[in-house]
Amino acid sequence: MDCSAPPGVLYAVLFVAGSPAATQNRRSLCNNIAQRVRMRANCFVTTIDSKFIVACGFWDHSFRVFNTDSAAITQIIYGHYDIVTCLARSECNITSDCYIATGSRDATVMLWDWSARLQMLVGESTAPGQLPTPRTTLTGHDREVTCVVISAELGLVASSSKDGPCLLHTVTGDLLRSLEPAVGFRSPELILLSREGFIFVKYDYGNLCAFTINGKLLESISHNDTIQDLC
């Protein structure tokens, strides 16, 4: 993705910024994005081989899989009852399979299985024409889910909702705990989960908190700068 491009523009090949090929190889990715959706980095994830991009924010409550070479839609997935607002991908196993997590305005998080062999999202059945189904649905939020992160290695999913808490679930759907931030920190916007088991949450106004997976607040700091992403 080229961050200087209009929202929802996909480039079919890698290119040197400013080259004539940049305009020629531009492909439309998100013509059906809902107008009220704020497009952010966590509206897109790529597969481990970078052959596919998964995107959300569509008005019909779907999220979609695009081929990065041609920008063709390879799958349109339905499951949520409102617009899908954020996405995350887990680390991959030895066969390059992984989880895809989706958060929605319906206040739920769903986990899906990506098959590297089939190059598609799959359900319990991989029969031709079988629509993929989520492996589990995570509940506990009361409002729109703003961000989500998943670790297959730890078996954990962290998510947050607008003006609400950050919740920690297992990948099987069990709610473990709510993360309590420092006083005055509200509306979590970004989450990072490290493989060592630390959770970093960016709240509004550049406020940051670090937690253990047991929910203990380790540190909180505030920045004057606008923080757009965590890695």
Side-chain angles (χ1 to χ4, degrees):
M1 297 297 294
D2 178 7
C3 296
S4 65
V9 170
L10 173 69
Y11 289 86
V13 297
L14 296 176
F15 61 90
V16 177
S19 70
T23 301
Q24 296 173 5
N25 290 308
R26 184 176 295 177
R27 299 289 187 270
S28 176
L29 175 62
C30 302
N31 292 330
N32 296 313
I33 291 292
Q35 292 185 353
R36 54 182 178 156
V37 170
R38 174 190 170 198
M39 299 306 293
R40 300 172 298 161
N42 62 3
C43 290
F44 306 91
V45 296
T46 61
T47 54
I48 190 66
D49 57 9
S50 298
K51 292 182 178 180
F52 298 91
I53 287 179
V54 186
C56 68
F58 299 96
W59 64 267
D60 61 356
H61 308 168
S62 70
F63 65 101
R64 305 181 183 191
V65 182
F66 294 83
N67 183 294
T68 55
D69 185 51
S70 64
I73 298 173
T74 60
Q75 279 187 292
I76 300 178
I77 311 299
Y78 296 93
H80 289 282
Y81 292 100
D82 206 333
I83 294 171
V84 181
T85 51
C86 55
L87 299 165
R89 175 178 64 80
S90 73
E91 63 275 67
C92 296
N93 61 20
I94 194 171
T95 62
S96 295
D97 295 340
C98 63
Y99 297 132
I100 299 292
T102 57
S104 170
R105 282 187 174 165
D106 65 10
T108 66
V109 174
M110 292 184 176
L111 300 188
W112 309 76
D113 292 306
W114 174 265
S115 169
R117 181 179 64 85
L118 298 175
Q119 297 189 324
M120 62 187 300
L121 288 159
V122 296
E124 294 182 359
S125 171
T126 56
Q130 178 71 37
L131 295 177
T133 55
R135 68 161 32 236
T136 189
T137 300
L138 312 181
T139 60
H141 292 295
D142 295 325
R143 299 188 65 185
E144 167 187 339
V145 178
T146 55
C147 53
V148 61
V149 65
I150 179 172
S151 171
E153 185 176 0
L154 297 175
L156 296 174
V157 182
S159 59
S160 68
S161 57
K162 187 175 182 180
D163 296 323
C166 293
L167 301 181
L168 192 64
H169 288 83
T170 66
V171 294
T172 56
D174 296 321
L175 176 60
L176 297 179
R177 59 190 55 90
S178 175
L179 305 179
E180 298 299 329
V183 176
F185 288 23
R186 57 189 297 272
S187 194
E189 298 176 348
L190 297 169
I191 297 182
L192 178 67
L193 176 59
S194 76
R195 64 187 305 169
E196 293 81 14
F198 297 104
I199 304 168
F200 303 89
V201 183
K202 183 263 177 180
Y203 296 82
D204 53 358
Y205 303 112
N207 295 320
L208 289 166
C209 285
F211 301 89
T212 68
I213 56 174
N214 293 323
K216 179 182 178 181
L217 176 62
L218 295 175
E219 189 174 0
S220 60
I221 57 176
S222 296
H223 281 272
N224 294 324
D225 296 325
T226 301
I227 301 172
Q228 299 287 352
D229 203 0
L230 300 174
C231 66

